Amino acid sequence: MNSEYIFDNSRDKELCLHVYHIEKLSEIKNFSILVLEKLQKIISKLKETNSNLVVSGFSGLCVTSQGIGLFYNKFNCRERDFINSEVILEKNSKIKIADEENLEELNKDLSQGWSYKNRCKMLVTYPNEFSIVWNYLR
C-alpha cells in the first residue's frame, strides 16, 4: 500500500468508511447515534473544501455479539460476497480466534473446553439501501 491508496480530500470524490474498532467503556445513552453524529461532523468538515465528496459505503468487521447487533440490527448492514470464516472462542475469560473451515482444529478446541461465542462478520451498507447511517453520512 502506498500514498495513492490513502484518502486525499483534495483529490478524491468518494469515501468508504470502515469502522475498525469501537469499544464502549461505560454506559453511554444513544451511543450509536453519538458515533454517527461525530462522523457526520467530520464528513461535513471535509465537504467544506470538497463539495463533490460522497460517502459510498460503510462497513465494520464485527467480532462480538454487541458489534454484530449494532451493525446488523441497528445500522441494517449485511454480509455480502465476503463471508468471514473466523469464529470467536472463549475459555477462562480468554478469547481465541479460530477458523471454522478448519473443522478438525475447531472440534479439538471445543473438546478442550473452549466455547463458541460467535462467527465474525463483515457487515456493509450502501447509500441506496435503508440504514440510519445514511441519515448522517449523505
Side-chain angles (χ1 to χ4, degrees):
M1 194 163 158
N2 59 41
S3 62
E4 76 180 76
Y5 294 103
I6 296 173
F7 175 74
D8 181 342
N9 198 41
S10 65
R11 175 193 67 212
D12 298 320
K13 305 295 182 229
E14 182 178 34
L15 179 64
C16 295
L17 297 175
H18 178 76
V19 177
Y20 177 72
H21 182 82
I22 296 177
E23 188 169 350
K24 187 173 148 182
L25 299 175
S26 62
E27 196 56 39
I28 300 171
K29 190 173 176 83
N30 296 318
F31 178 75
S32 58
I33 301 304
L34 179 65
V35 169
L36 291 174
E37 287 172 345
K38 297 295 183 187
L39 285 173
Q40 180 183 43
K41 286 181 182 178
I42 293 167
I43 298 301
S44 293
K45 203 72 164 151
L46 290 170
K47 286 182 176 184
E48 287 177 9
T49 56
N50 184 354
S51 61
N52 294 317
L53 182 65
V54 295
V55 178
S56 58
F58 182 82
S59 66
L61 177 58
C62 303
V63 300
T64 64
S65 57
Q66 296 90 344
I68 293 167
L70 174 61
F71 274 75
Y72 188 84
N73 296 325
K74 182 87 173 182
F75 293 161
N76 201 34
C77 295
R78 296 292 180 251
E79 286 186 288
R80 306 302 169 141
D81 293 338
F82 174 72
I83 303 297
N84 193 330
S85 62
E86 294 174 318
V87 298
I88 303 297
L89 304 177
E90 183 177 39
K91 178 180 175 182
N92 301 327
S93 299
K94 294 181 181 178
I95 62 166
K96 177 179 183 175
I97 299 173
D99 191 328
E100 69 180 5
E101 290 184 356
N102 188 341
L103 194 54
E104 186 177 305
E105 189 68 31
L106 181 56
N107 282 328
K108 180 181 170 189
D109 288 335
L110 295 172
S111 71
Q112 292 175 348
W114 289 90
S115 62
Y116 179 93
K117 299 301 287 179
N118 58 268
R119 181 174 58 81
C120 301
K121 296 181 180 188
M122 177 65 76
L123 299 173
V124 181
T125 185
Y126 297 109
N128 64 328
E129 300 171 338
F130 174 78
S131 173
I132 191 173
V133 167
W134 303 115
N135 294 343
Y136 294 88
L137 300 183
R138 284 194 208 272

